[in-house]
Amino acid sequence: MAKKSEKPDTKELAKKLLIDRKNGFFSVSDSKVKKADAFCEGYKDFLENAKTEREAVNTALKIVQDAGFVPFEADKQYQAGSKVYYNNRGKSLILAVIGTEGCKNGVHIAAAHIDCPRLDLKPHPLFEQNDLAHLKTHYYGGIKKYQWTTIPLAMHGRICRKDGSYVDLRLGEEPGDPMFTISDLLPHLSAEQSQKTLGKAIEGEKLNVLVGSRPVRDEDGERLFKLNVMKLLNEQYGITEEDFVSADIAFTPAFHPCDIGFDRALVGAYGQDDRSCAYAELMAAVKTKTPKRTAITVLADREEIGSVGNTGLDSNFLHDFIEDLADAEGLKVRHVLAKSRCLSADVTAAFDPNYPDAYEANNSTYLNNGVGLSKYTGARGKYDTSDACAEFVCEIRRLFDENEVLWQIGELGKVDGGGGGTVAMYIAGMNVDVIDVGVPVLSMHAPFEVVSKLDEYMTYQGVKVFFEAE
């Protein structure tokens, strides 16, 4: 008689062979949750003070200078443990912690961007119409235009006067400050508007910021409402209308960072794409003591519009910085770069149960499940992406597991549904191994975005163990 086969232990088999995708709170200790909450108090302070790339650089500089970082000198050979920074035009920043091996076996790079979608002023922005004064804007980055109406806005940036002096503005953030807004039609009069698609209901040329409604008292004068605005600006800041030509002025949401939910597990704020990753890698650089390989942190500008310009990563400023390090050690930069590795620290889309049809659930990242890895980004066939090789993905996966960094991996929505890009392809173009890692975000690119405190903390932990890796 044939022997009856034994029934397999499917639970043990599943535990051995299958991924157990459970919520991150079932995988971490209470002490780590408390550390995440504490870490995000500093994160919220960073968000509050860094609403433009200039402010992000200035805020980061205060943090790193307090931690012992000093200005980089290109011709100097640094000792292991030295901490230096390079400020690129006040809009991007590089930090380096010199390793015991220096650059000879490559460097470890973490790259994030500090620019965010916003409303920039046009060169000739001020106009009046029907007794109201407005400023005309040109939106920056990918926005849903309708989200920027009827919310409180703050004015940030720098105006350079004709004589070369300048004034920095930050108006609408402090108690007692005036705020600004963009009006929208009332429902009673918007029947025609409501028939339009979301992308066309609000036109770019209608994103005009309301800034005044009182005239200079002169019934025989002209442009009195516009003139009164300039009179007030001249009295307070010493500027004329022509000075707007040489200005970097942006309007951002006036919301303040806050906790979301009864359990306070989430952070709500403007600009978390990508300042959540920028803060994580900034603090990783601060906490890294003396790594084996030199650890480089780059906070870049212009990612939201293609990383263009001399403060974006489609330029040479990062390459040239690494070349200076290599030259000081008698090395060729191409040999250093070929051995280097990079975490392109940019956010990814968190699965949103309100809009499940936009995602492929099995290949999405979720709030509270840890730092999100993306083997590739791009759109519709992986265009404009850097696809990390299997060996490097394996290396990062093993590194995170060995150091108890909670992680997950996914894509940015359905294959034919969209997609997005990061700085990864520009760094990969320097012959560096790169993978995208970052914080999953709800409502990405909206004036008010949401991230998990646990995910933010795990992104910091992930960058830190990468910097300290052998």
Side-chain angles (χ1 to χ4, degrees):
M1 186 174 181
K3 186 177 180 181
K4 187 176 180 180
S5 60
E6 293 184 6
K7 185 178 180 180
D9 187 338
T10 54
K11 288 186 177 180
E12 281 298 316
L13 198 59
K15 185 177 180 180
K16 179 180 178 181
L17 299 179
L18 301 182
I19 296 173
D20 183 14
R21 297 190 68 173
K22 57 187 178 183
N23 186 279
F25 282 106
F26 298 109
S27 302
V28 298
S29 64
D30 288 343
S31 65
K32 276 201 173 180
V33 173
K34 290 179 180 178
K35 287 180 180 179
D37 290 348
F39 181 81
C40 285
E41 292 304 303
Y43 170 52
K44 287 185 290 185
D45 288 341
F46 179 77
L47 290 173
E48 176 70 19
N49 294 301
K51 286 197 170 182
T52 67
E53 66 279 2
R54 287 185 189 272
E55 292 178 0
V57 167
N58 289 338
T59 304
L61 281 174
K62 291 176 183 176
I63 292 172
V64 300
Q65 286 168 349
D66 288 345
F69 284 76
V70 297
F72 176 66
E73 298 176 42
D75 298 327
K76 183 175 179 179
Q77 184 169 2
Y78 290 93
Q79 300 300 312
S82 298
K83 297 184 174 184
V84 298
Y85 68 83
Y86 169 65
N87 181 354
N88 183 15
R89 297 171 171 85
K91 290 189 172 185
S92 55
L93 185 67
I94 298 176
L95 312 172
V97 183
I98 307 302
T100 56
E101 290 184 349
C103 300
K104 69 178 183 180
N105 288 314
V107 296
H108 280 176
I109 306 166
H113 67 91
I114 48 177
D115 62 314
C116 301
R118 59 180 189 252
L119 303 178
D120 286 343
L121 288 192
K122 291 191 175 187
H124 295 299
L126 184 59
F127 73 99
E128 69 171 67
Q129 188 171 354
N130 302 108
D131 297 347
L132 295 177
H134 290 85
L135 289 171
K136 292 199 73 68
T137 68
H138 190 137
Y139 60 89
Y140 173 98
I143 68 169
K144 291 182 175 179
K145 294 186 286 291
Y146 70 86
Q147 294 179 330
W148 287 76
T149 64
T150 70
I151 63 172
L153 298 173
M155 186 177 185
H156 293 252
R158 174 170 292 180
I159 300 178
C160 294
R161 305 182 187 95
K162 192 172 184 177
D163 64 4
S165 63
Y166 65 84
V167 58
D168 288 329
L169 302 181
R170 182 181 170 90
L171 194 58
E173 300 289 357
E174 300 299 327
D177 279 358
M179 294 185 185
F180 311 91
T181 195
I182 298 170
S183 60
D184 193 9
L185 274 175
L186 59 162
H188 314 69
L189 301 180
S190 59
E192 182 179 345
Q193 183 192 51
S194 298
Q195 299 303 311
K196 298 179 180 179
T197 62
L198 287 176
K200 294 184 177 180
I202 302 294
E203 300 170 10
E205 292 295 348
K206 297 286 181 65
L207 293 175
N208 300 318
V209 181
L210 180 61
V211 296
S213 61
R214 290 181 178 175
V216 173
R217 288 183 180 273
D218 180 0
E219 293 185 8
D220 296 325
E222 297 180 354
R223 299 180 294 176
L224 299 178
F225 295 86
K226 172 179 176 176
L227 183 60
N228 193 46
V229 169
M230 280 313 312
K231 177 175 175 288
L232 295 171
L233 289 172
N234 181 262
E235 289 172 352
Q236 187 163 1
Y237 302 112
I239 61 173
T240 67
E241 184 181 6
E242 188 177 341
D243 292 329
F244 280 119
V245 171
S246 51
D248 289 334
I249 294 292
F251 280 87
T252 70
F255 306 132
H256 300 292
C258 63
D259 293 341
I260 297 292
F262 294 115
D263 52 13
R264 296 179 175 269
L266 308 174
V267 174
Y270 162 70
Q272 300 197 78
D273 173 11
D274 182 39
R275 294 183 190 128
S276 57
C277 295
Y279 183 75
E281 68 175 45
L282 172 67
M283 297 312 296
V286 167
K287 297 298 183 181
T288 296
K289 292 185 169 53
T290 305
K292 186 174 182 179
R293 295 176 178 85
T294 293
I296 294 175
T297 299
V298 56
L299 306 179
D301 186 20
R302 303 289 177 176
E303 189 277 341
E304 296 294 359
I305 57 171
S307 294
V308 296
N310 54 15
T311 55
L313 277 173
D314 190 17
S315 73
N316 291 331
F317 81 92
L318 176 60
H319 176 280
D320 292 349
F321 179 85
I322 297 173
E323 185 171 28
D324 285 339
L325 291 176
D327 286 348
E329 297 179 26
L331 304 170
K332 292 184 177 180
V333 66
R334 69 174 185 270
H335 297 157
V336 171
L337 291 170
K339 300 175 184 176
S340 296
R341 299 172 176 84
C342 174
L343 299 185
S344 172
D346 204 344
V347 297
T348 188
F351 184 89
D352 190 337
N354 280 331
Y355 307 97
D357 290 343
Y359 302 83
E360 197 263 284
N362 200 45
N363 284 286
S364 294
T365 57
Y366 293 78
L367 292 182
N368 294 316
N369 280 18
V371 56
L373 277 63
S374 295
K375 189 176 186 293
Y376 46 82
T377 54
R380 299 177 182 87
K382 299 187 181 181
Y383 281 96
D384 293 327
T385 188
S386 166
D387 196 337
C389 68
E391 292 87 349
F392 189 44
V393 177
C394 181
E395 180 182 329
I396 297 302
R397 164 188 163 202
R398 183 170 60 249
L399 177 70
F400 285 1
D401 282 344
E402 289 174 350
N403 290 277
E404 297 182 339
V405 175
L406 188 66
W407 64 275
Q408 54 186 317
I409 192 165
E411 294 182 327
L412 192 67
K414 288 184 175 179
V415 171
D416 292 329
T422 68
V423 301
M425 64 179 179
Y426 304 108
I427 297 176
M430 298 192 301
N431 195 23
V432 175
D433 278 322
V434 185
I435 185 172
D436 280 293
V437 304
V439 182
V441 178
L442 280 181
S443 305
M444 190 191 299
H445 279 215
F448 192 78
E449 301 167 315
V450 175
V451 308
S452 155
K453 293 181 179 179
L454 183 61
D455 299 341
E456 172 69 17
Y457 181 69
M458 287 299 167
T459 302
Y460 154 73
Q461 289 278 286
V463 176
K464 186 171 182 290
V465 300
F466 172 68
F467 281 162
E468 296 171 344
E470 293 294 318

